[in-house]
Amino acid sequence: MIPGLRPQPLTMQLDWRLNAQFAGLCVAQARNYYQRQGLTVTLNPAPPDLDVVQTVVSQPHTLGCAEESLILAAQSRGVEVVAIAAMLQASPLSLMSLPNGGLHDLSQLIGKRIGVHSDGQKALELVLSLHNIAPARVNTIEIPYQNKYQRLIDGEFDAVQCYALDEPIRFAQRIGQAPVLLTFSDYGFDAYSQVIFAPVQLVHEQPEVIHRFLTATFAGWRWAINHPSSTAQLLIDRYVEPDYQDMTYQVESLKMIATYMQCDRQRLGVLDQTRWQRSAQQLAQAGLIDAMPDTSVDLNLWP
């Protein structure tokens, strides 16, 4: 605990259930890294279909994490949030299809039924546009997370959106074979993922508090990356729901996450203003966001 500091409460609104993709935050909480920074942090898992940006701006002392495209879309509508760090330096957003007769190339999506979630729709449309495929030529249907594996197995969809960090591991455990992946980053989707963001007002009023939060969070991530087995056991013992309590799954997911966090040997969590603006320009040119945001990244808080 930093001497002289009164404990500062913060809520971190996640965009999914507690799992390996939030391991650094769980470690920071469990190993008292937040406490040492004078913080009391609540990790708030998300129910399916939560609007994480609106939830964050409607609650006091709350930060959140979301896909870059969702934050840019909100900013373009005038929602006053700002990106402050990125847990993942590349996006794991992907499409997953069955191993037999799977989709191996973007052009094979034409005429197919593709199940997507709200956070992936804009990303997929952008990827298609970058490869001169009109999004209207692909039959995309917004679906909830529930039962999507079975809907894919039953042939209702030719592919479904997935997060390459963990969902292919679970799916392979279920059917005994690895699915075929089309990863958006392989097709020009150069975006950050699990972007930590905050309301502009909170950033203006409590920049030091947010810096301390980020310091503890990425210390947690460094420990998690260097101790995957111990971290997996911590997640199973204290954090994840029963259907995630599989040691092999958690360890494999953590190893995959480490590759996404340490792309190009970047310091953990860094955001690049030029890269962020380039992503915004791509989305705006494709008509996927209403306008270019005025202020979208704050580089003064981290590192």
Side-chain angles (χ1 to χ4, degrees), residues 66-136:
E67 296 304 308
E68 179 182 315
S69 58
L70 286 183
I71 297 171
L72 283 167
Q75 290 171 335
S76 74
R77 298 192 304 270
V79 180
E80 294 192 346
V81 293
V82 63
I84 55 178
M87 288 189 277
L88 304 181
Q89 293 292 313
S91 175
L93 284 175
S94 306
L95 296 180
M96 179 170 65
S97 57
L98 295 174
N100 297 325
L103 302 174
H104 297 272
D105 186 79
L106 205 65
S107 62
Q108 293 178 292
L109 298 180
I110 295 173
K112 299 297 194 297
R113 288 173 56 86
I114 310 298
V116 297
H117 310 310
S118 59
D119 64 348
Q121 180 72 50
K122 293 183 185 301
L124 177 57
E125 290 179 14
L126 174 58
V127 167
L128 293 172
S129 297
L130 290 173
H131 291 267
N132 300 312
I133 300 172

Side-chain angles (χ1 to χ4, degrees), residues 86-90 190 192 218 221-222 225 257-276 278 299 302-303:
M87 288 189 277
L88 304 181
Q89 293 292 313
D190 183 24
Y192 295 104
F218 288 107
W221 270 118
R222 281 190 292 274
I225 290 170
I257 289 165
T259 67
Y260 278 86
M261 294 197 71
Q262 301 177 111
C263 294
D264 301 323
R265 300 186 181 275
Q266 291 271 17
R267 182 169 179 175
L268 294 183
V270 296
L271 284 171
D272 179 80
Q273 177 79 50
T274 301
R275 182 181 169 195
W276 183 274
R278 188 168 59 242
L299 303 180
W302 186 255

Side-chain angles (χ1 to χ4, degrees), residues 145-189:
Y145 288 88
Q146 295 92 335
N147 301 320
K148 70 175 181 180
Y149 295 169
Q150 192 61 50
R151 296 173 79 178
L152 177 61
I153 292 168
D154 292 343
E156 182 179 348
F157 295 103
D158 298 289
V160 294
Q161 179 184 326
C162 75
Y163 222 50
L165 303 180
D166 60 331
E167 289 185 282
I169 299 171
R170 290 175 66 84
F171 193 72
Q173 290 176 336
R174 179 166 177 170
I175 69 170
Q177 291 179 274
V180 176
L181 294 182
L182 291 178
T183 302
F184 293 177
S185 61
D186 291 340
Y187 290 91
F189 186 60

Side-chain angles (χ1 to χ4, degrees), residues 1 5 29 51 53 59 65-66 75 79 86-87 90 97 102 108 110 129 133 170 186 231 240 244 246 252 296:
M1 179 77 173
L5 283 182
Q29 186 184 67
D51 187 329
V53 177
Q59 302 292 330
C65 63
Q75 290 171 335
V79 180
M87 288 189 277
S97 57
Q108 293 178 292
I110 295 173
S129 297
I133 300 172
R170 290 175 66 84
D186 291 340
T231 300
V240 301
Y244 282 143
D246 180 303
E252 290 303 309
S296 54

Side-chain angles (χ1 to χ4, degrees), residues 229-242:
S229 295
S230 298
T231 300
Q233 192 63 61
L234 169 68
L235 293 172
I236 290 169
D237 289 345
R238 293 185 55 175
Y239 287 98
V240 301
E241 297 173 28

